[in-house]
Amino acid sequence: MKKAIVPILIVLLALGCIGGKTETETKVENKELTVYAYDSLEYWLKEVIPEFEKEYNAKVNLVLVGSTGELVNRLILEKDNPKADVVVGIDNTFLAKAIEADVLEPYKPKNADVIPEWIIKSFDPEFRLTPFDYGFLAFNYRTDLVKEPPKSLEDLTKPEWRGKIIIEDPRTSSPGLAFMLWTIAVYKDKWLEYWAKLRDNEIQIVKGWSAAWGAFSEGEYPVVLSYATSPAATVYYDNKTNVRAIEFKEGNFLQIEGAGIVKGTKNKELAEKFIEFLISEKAQEKLPTTQWMYPVNKNVKLPEVYKYALKVEKPVTIDPKEVQENLNKWLKQWEEVVVQGKNPESIEG
């Protein structure tokens, strides 16, 4: 009988029944997922990715691609030969461009019920992108440099703010594009006239949020386009309370960010698991103090430092379909007025 044990053990080990790994387990263990994200998402993703890798026996290759605009452009350039499986960080300002380019694979996560319905309806009910956070644009000012901050979009055009405000470029930055849409939502067909006033008031425009916030932090500009949560982040990181966000009379623009599966991925099943993981409590609870946006998972409690964030009472939104139909035209018109210095009345509608 003892002689028979050895060949039986060999067979069992070969089949992966004792101490070994089955063929299925080996395949899962060797799977790699390539995730594209814009630069500043690194802090959140580098905290949650190791937990995802451990839970699913997978390897995640995180590729940081500049700003949100650059992120979408790269997906479009690689459309015929996609290199990424998942994209994280396309917001409601660039959603239309991504949809038009047909680079996303619709997928509704199994745990989508943790997301409030109003967020889903405000973003993408077809789930080409799944929302993972949201927040509000807000101009921030330094209390040590400013006594009376601007309190409306119109205030930004006044002489006392000439050359003192820094914002992001809508062609390359999601907050920059969100601000352009904010002005369109408020000023309707007069939005180009408004931008001509900003241009003439010498508003400073830089490529992305990091450059704008850096100049603001150094005191080069007392007012910056950022977020309602930026004062909370300043307290958290620098223990400073000299930054305030402003609730504008016209309201503040709502920004929602999403993650989606790249069309053409060969790792769809693992990509689906990654999307579900991003909206789980385990990942969402790390989001407020890394991404400085509000988590979409309604079961996550906000940290105490969020008492310094601005509570926006009047959200400003714009119909995503309207954005999809007009975005390219709007960006071209913006460039003609702001960059080329043309008279708004000479711009074709």
Side-chain angles (χ1 to χ4, degrees), residues 111 113-116 279-282 284-285 295-302:
N111 57 340
D113 59 344
V114 300
I115 306 173
I279 61 173
S280 68
E281 287 187 53
K282 187 181 292 187
Q284 289 274 296
E285 65 185 9
V296 297
N297 190 313
K298 57 191 176 186
N299 300 317
V300 174
K301 293 183 179 180
L302 292 174

Side-chain angles (χ1 to χ4, degrees), residues 34 90-91 121 134 181 210 227 239 279 323 327 330 336 344:
T34 297
I90 300 177
D91 70 347
K121 287 182 178 179
Y134 71 96
L181 297 178
S210 296
Y227 293 93
N239 198 29
I279 61 173
V323 176
L327 183 59
W330 287 339
E336 288 178 317

Side-chain angles (χ1 to χ4, degrees), residues 133-189:
D133 71 11
Y134 71 96
F136 298 92
L137 245 63
F139 280 86
N140 283 232
Y141 72 99
R142 292 268 300 267
T143 58
D144 54 327
L145 302 175
V146 174
K147 291 184 179 179
E148 289 292 330
K151 297 178 181 178
S152 67
L153 291 173
E154 202 61 34
D155 282 354
L156 302 179
T157 67
K158 293 181 177 179
E160 57 262 39
W161 297 109
R162 182 182 297 274
K164 295 181 179 180
I165 299 167
I166 188 167
I167 65 172
E168 299 83 6
D169 193 319
R171 298 168 298 180
T172 54
S173 162
S174 61
L177 182 54
F179 179 52
M180 188 188 82
L181 297 178
W182 184 359
T183 64
I184 293 171
V186 171
Y187 288 96
K188 310 297 181 184
D189 58 351

Side-chain angles (χ1 to χ4, degrees), residues 187-204:
Y187 288 96
K188 310 297 181 184
D189 58 351
K190 299 294 183 183
W191 74 278
L192 286 173
E193 284 86 343
Y194 175 75
W195 274 96
K197 291 180 183 178
L198 289 178
R199 175 200 67 198
D200 295 343
N201 214 32
E202 299 177 10
I203 196 165
Q204 178 67 26

Side-chain angles (χ1 to χ4, degrees), residues 24 26 55 67 118 127 151 186 188 211 218 243 267 273 284 287 291 298 313 323 342 348:
T24 302
T26 303
E55 189 167 327
S67 64
W118 74 266
F127 280 94
K151 297 178 181 178
V186 171
K188 310 297 181 184
E218 293 297 321
V243 174
N267 295 310
K273 297 296 183 185
Q284 289 274 296
L287 192 147
Q291 189 61 6
K298 57 191 176 186
E313 301 294 338
V323 176
K342 291 184 179 180
E348 295 182 8

Side-chain angles (χ1 to χ4, degrees), residues 71-80 97-98 101-103:
L71 181 65
V72 175
N73 288 338
R74 181 155 175 178
L75 291 178
I76 294 172
L77 288 172
E78 296 176 356
K79 180 178 178 180
D80 295 331
K97 187 173 182 178
D102 194 27
V103 294

Side-chain angles (χ1 to χ4, degrees), residues 57-73:
N57 290 324
K59 171 66 178 174
V60 175
N61 176 32
L62 177 62
V63 179
L64 300 173
V65 189
S67 64
T68 308
E70 292 171 304
L71 181 65
V72 175
N73 288 338

